[in-house]
Amino acid sequence: MSIAGLYSPPQAAQSATPNATNTQTASGTATAPNATGTTTVTKTNGTATATKTNGNSRSQVYSAPLNRPIPVSFELFPPRQPALDSPIWAGVERLIQANPAYVSVTFGANGKSQDASLEALSRLRTYQVPTLAHLTCVERSRTQLADLIKRIFDLGVRDILALRGDPPKGQSRWQAPEGGLNYASELVHLIRETAASHLDNDESVDIGVAAYPAGGIQSRLDALSALAQKEAAGADYAITQVFFDARDYQSLLEATVVNGISLPIVPGIIPFTDLPRLQRLQQLTGVPVPARLQELLSEPDARLRFRQGVKETMTFIDQVVAAGAPGLHLYTFNRTRPALDILKFLRLAGSIPRDPQTAEQQVELLAEAAHRITLTH
């Protein structure tokens, strides 16, 4: 099954709304115009279903049972140590042995990190695990991007996460490189175009893009407009960037519905176990770490701090799943233990959301089993 196929609805949606709708959300008032189709949300027998009609989206709208197993995937950085017996690759192997739905590999801008990413993709293919290649527009011309896309295809990879990328070091604002691309939607179109010429089938590739749940009203509206453009260019699904409040994710889903955007949106989950890392992400993204979470992760007792972090992470996961998340994408930062702890927790639960009393017991059991090794990985 393709990665996009993981997020396809288990059954065809039935209902539709004939007219455009205005809805007030946390990101402002959004409109679903008739020209692009309309979307409705219905709940039947514990299932939340979004239906799009009269539109031309490539992706089906996800139908999300409220109590279900869901696919879990991992994001990895290309290991800087090339040797297969290096500690980093040993950790990667542990993640793969956990049988995630797929793994994604980040991509750097310069030649050295690009080669490391291609090498990581090549090695991961030998494990026969579905692999998603990140790709950014940073410091590459359109021609260079097309060549790189072909190299990714030649490795056998057919799944790409298309990102504009952050401004290069030393630049405060984004500026496209000479002969390069300005928007992720342009990269999506280029991937489709390259697949058509290099693989003779532009439909043989699945393309993910980024979504942004957090931020002020205007930034969310801008991100929503960009998401619509990425879908129109041929994206199949989206993975969110960092956020800490499940209500932001819920608001994003509501805004996509009323704007006729039918991309499945997978929440990107950062384990809430490492406060310094979360604070660094805050500096990079501008998304603040909630004061309550900072307080919990400032607990001096390492064992209690870990338990509190796991509990907060699982509560957060429960909330986004209840909101309709079609899957979970865990940002591992190449630290295997927190990601494996969360995956183990989900499998212990069997399906989520979990019964609160059972969930509390599982937090305690997992913390007792994992604290002895979490601190060293």
Side-chain angles (χ1 to χ4, degrees):
M1 176 182 290
S2 68
I3 290 177
L6 293 170
Y7 308 129
S8 294
Q11 58 185 4
Q14 300 296 324
S15 60
T17 297
N19 299 315
T21 304
N22 290 336
T23 298
Q24 184 73 29
T25 69
S27 58
T29 300
T31 302
N34 291 330
T36 59
T38 58
T39 306
T40 61
V41 175
T42 59
K43 291 186 179 180
T44 307
N45 297 326
T47 298
T49 303
T51 308
K52 183 173 181 180
T53 59
N54 302 322
N56 57 0
S57 169
R58 291 172 36 80
S59 300
Q60 295 173 294
V61 183
Y62 187 76
S63 179
L66 298 182
N67 192 0
R68 68 200 189 279
I70 61 174
V72 178
S73 52
F74 297 142
E75 177 186 283
L76 306 174
F77 292 147
R80 294 180 180 177
Q81 299 165 299
L84 285 173
D85 59 354
S86 70
I88 295 295
W89 270 108
V92 169
E93 286 188 348
R94 287 198 296 273
L95 288 172
I96 293 171
Q97 290 166 2
N99 196 31
Y102 62 91
V103 297
S104 71
V105 178
T106 63
F107 240 82
N110 61 47
K112 186 175 181 180
S113 58
Q114 173 181 300
D115 290 343
S117 297
L118 291 170
E119 176 65 21
L121 288 170
S122 179
R123 288 184 176 179
L124 286 169
R125 292 286 295 168
T126 67
Y127 293 99
Q128 298 185 342
V129 59
T131 307
L132 172 65
H134 292 218
L135 185 60
T136 76
C137 304
V138 179
E139 296 183 357
R140 297 184 181 98
S141 69
R142 191 178 193 279
T143 300
Q144 290 172 325
L145 284 168
D147 289 341
L148 186 51
I149 292 166
K150 292 174 187 177
R151 292 180 68 183
I152 292 172
F153 289 162
D154 289 343
L155 292 174
V157 175
R158 296 294 183 268
D159 298 276
I160 297 178
L161 185 65
L163 309 165
R164 190 200 68 179
D166 297 323
K169 188 175 182 180
Q171 295 183 17
S172 59
R173 299 183 64 179
W174 170 261
Q175 183 175 353
E178 183 177 356
L181 306 180
N182 254 320
Y183 304 102
S185 58
E186 295 176 318
L187 181 56
V188 172
H189 186 273
L190 179 60
I191 294 168
R192 291 279 173 223
E193 182 181 286
T194 306
S197 62
H198 195 67
L199 303 176
D200 296 324
N201 183 3
D202 70 335
E203 298 290 329
S204 63
V205 178
D206 285 348
I207 303 175
V209 293
Y212 298 87
I217 291 178
Q218 188 58 52
S219 65
R220 293 190 197 191
L221 289 173
D222 291 344
L224 192 64
S225 176
L227 188 60
Q229 293 173 9
K230 288 182 273 193
E231 180 179 35
D236 295 295
Y237 62 95
I239 299 175
T240 74
Q241 298 296 297
V242 60
F243 68 106
F244 298 103
D245 190 332
R247 292 173 296 182
D248 291 338
Y249 178 72
Q250 176 70 57
S251 294
L252 174 61
L253 295 187
E254 293 170 354
T256 59
V257 165
V258 297
N259 278 274
I261 299 171
S262 61
L263 293 178
I265 300 179
V266 182
I269 305 296
I270 299 169
F272 299 156
T273 54
D274 186 341
L275 181 57
R277 185 176 299 280
L278 298 184
Q279 291 172 330
R280 286 195 295 274
L281 283 172
Q282 174 178 303
Q283 294 175 345
L284 289 171
T285 65
V287 180
V289 181
R292 179 176 178 277
L293 184 57
Q294 293 195 54
E295 181 180 352
L296 289 173
L297 296 181
S298 298
E299 164 62 46
D301 184 284
R303 191 164 166 177
L304 178 58
R305 183 172 66 246
F306 169 74
R307 180 161 56 245
Q308 291 178 160
V310 169
K311 184 176 180 180
E312 286 298 303
T313 305
M314 296 313 302
T315 298
F316 181 69
I317 287 174
D318 276 348
Q319 292 169 345
V320 297
V321 169
L328 301 170
H329 191 59
L330 302 184
Y331 295 116
T332 71
F333 303 100
N334 285 9
R335 295 190 64 197
T336 59
R337 195 68 256 159
L340 291 176
D341 291 342
I342 291 171
L343 187 60
K344 179 179 179 181
F345 197 103
L346 292 170
R347 287 176 175 165
L348 282 171
S351 62
I352 43 183
R354 302 175 310 286
D355 174 76
Q357 291 185 342
T358 303
E360 184 69 26
Q361 294 171 356
Q362 289 170 343
V363 168
E364 297 296 326
L365 288 172
L366 180 60
E368 290 297 324
H371 81 275
R372 64 185 183 277
I373 49 181
T374 300
L375 302 179
T376 59
H377 292 270

